[in-house]
Amino acid sequence: MDTVFYAELSWPEVEARIAAGAPVFLPLGATEQHGRHMALNVDVVLPTAIAARAAARVGGLVLPAVAYGNRSQPRTGGGPGFPGTLNLRADTFAMIVRDVICDLHRQGARRIVTLNGHYENIGPTIEGIELALDAIGRDRTADLIILRIDHWELIRPETLDRIFPEGYPGIELEHASVIETSMMMALRPDLVDLSRAAHDGPARFRPYDRYPRPCDEVPPSGVLSLTAGSTAEKGEWLLADCEAGIVQIIHREFS
Ligand code: ZN
Ligand code: MN
């Protein structure tokens, strides 16, 4: 079968491709509000699509995404105050990462790439990888390489300058904003309706956290920065950076 999607293959095909050294991508996402103008699955669609583009160029496989993310935070994802967002606890998320890596390793995979689309997954992914290394045995991991990538880190500064001539607000505030909206317009225009975008941002957060969370800090739309200026063309620039960045990393780390 001519597909990069692991779960669309039969077991002998997966067995053969892993034995041949195919890098295995694990997209890490979330089911989380992304404003009034986008679907809840943005953090799943983006890393899955980026992984698929990169995998097609490096002979890789893309696992089914983890579609639930670690607890959404007001300052990076809008937080729990929005209907629709479903959260995993950090330990649950870390255990999923750990178990998938351990089982891939048991089946012979030695080149594993976690590709993250949800900011709050960073910490629990690191923990999940560490727990996997503990479980496999640190003395048995000489031939194992696990890469942890956040797709937004691969956007080149030149591209950010082109998209944000007035200055980049920073990835935390980019939730449901120009970067995510543009990439979704390029990949899944059917899941974006810019006419529903409310321009009530950007969020003005305190430079610290307070619990219980104050409810006045997240713009009511759920968009933390601005949506205005999003285009499918900008989305393609961003996706091209992410794809090229991953291909470069794979060649550097796995050859
Ligand atoms: Zn997102
Ligand atoms: Mn998110």
Side-chain angles (χ1 to χ4, degrees):
M1 225 84 73
D2 188 25
T3 177
V4 295
F5 292 107
Y6 180 98
E8 295 179 3
L9 295 167
S10 65
W11 71 258
E13 291 167 315
V14 164
E15 181 185 45
R17 289 188 35 189
I18 285 183
V24 182
F25 292 82
L26 175 60
L28 300 173
T31 298
E32 180 186 47
Q33 74 83 19
H34 275 76
R36 292 179 180 278
H37 67 291
M38 281 199 291
L40 297 172
N41 64 355
V42 172
D43 290 355
V44 175
V45 169
L46 299 181
T48 302
I50 292 165
R53 288 184 180 206
R57 290 184 48 195
V58 300
L61 291 172
V62 181
L63 292 167
V66 178
Y68 302 93
N70 179 41
R71 195 187 305 267
S72 178
Q73 296 295 314
R75 285 165 72 175
T76 44
F82 291 88
T85 298
L86 298 172
N87 295 310
L88 295 183
R89 299 180 317 194
D91 53 347
T92 308
F93 188 88
M95 287 302 178
I96 293 171
V97 172
R98 169 197 177 277
D99 286 355
V100 173
I101 291 174
C102 285
D103 228 4
L104 286 169
H105 181 266
R106 184 179 64 78
Q107 302 194 21
R110 294 295 181 267
R111 298 166 162 186
I112 299 171
V113 184
T114 69
L115 183 61
N116 181 34
H118 175 64
Y119 191 88
E120 293 85 333
N121 288 346
I122 294 174
T125 302
I126 293 169
E127 181 66 5
I129 292 169
E130 294 286 358
L131 291 173
L133 294 174
D134 284 343
I136 292 163
R138 304 267 171 175
D139 50 337
R140 296 178 54 223
T141 54
D143 59 345
L144 170 65
I145 298 174
I146 303 167
L147 306 177
R148 196 199 67 76
I149 301 175
D150 303 309
H151 66 67
W152 53 85
E153 294 291 343
L154 304 176
I155 303 169
R156 293 176 305 144
E158 304 91 278
T159 306
L160 289 176
D161 288 346
R162 268 211 287 179
I163 295 178
F164 301 101
E166 254 109 86
Y168 178 43
I171 191 62
E172 297 88 356
L173 279 193
E174 263 301 303
H175 179 80
S177 304
V178 173
I179 288 180
E180 285 190 319
T181 302
S182 295
M183 290 201 280
M184 284 297 283
M185 289 171 78
L187 290 167
R188 290 295 304 272
D190 56 313
L191 299 181
V192 186
D193 181 356
L194 271 188
S195 73
R196 281 192 268 161
H199 299 290
D200 53 0
R204 306 218 181 279
F205 290 114
R206 300 159 176 81
Y208 56 87
D209 291 327
R210 193 184 90 189
Y211 295 90
R213 308 288 326 206
C215 48
D216 61 348
E217 57 182 358
V218 180
S221 69
V223 177
L224 299 186
S225 185
L226 295 170
T227 310
S230 303
T231 67
E233 189 194 17
K234 290 176 186 171
E236 279 300 341
W237 301 344
L238 294 160
L239 292 164
D241 278 10
C242 294
E243 176 188 328
I246 293 173
V247 170
Q248 208 176 36
I249 291 167
I250 296 279
H251 287 145
R252 184 188 314 138
E253 299 293 342
F254 291 161
S255 56

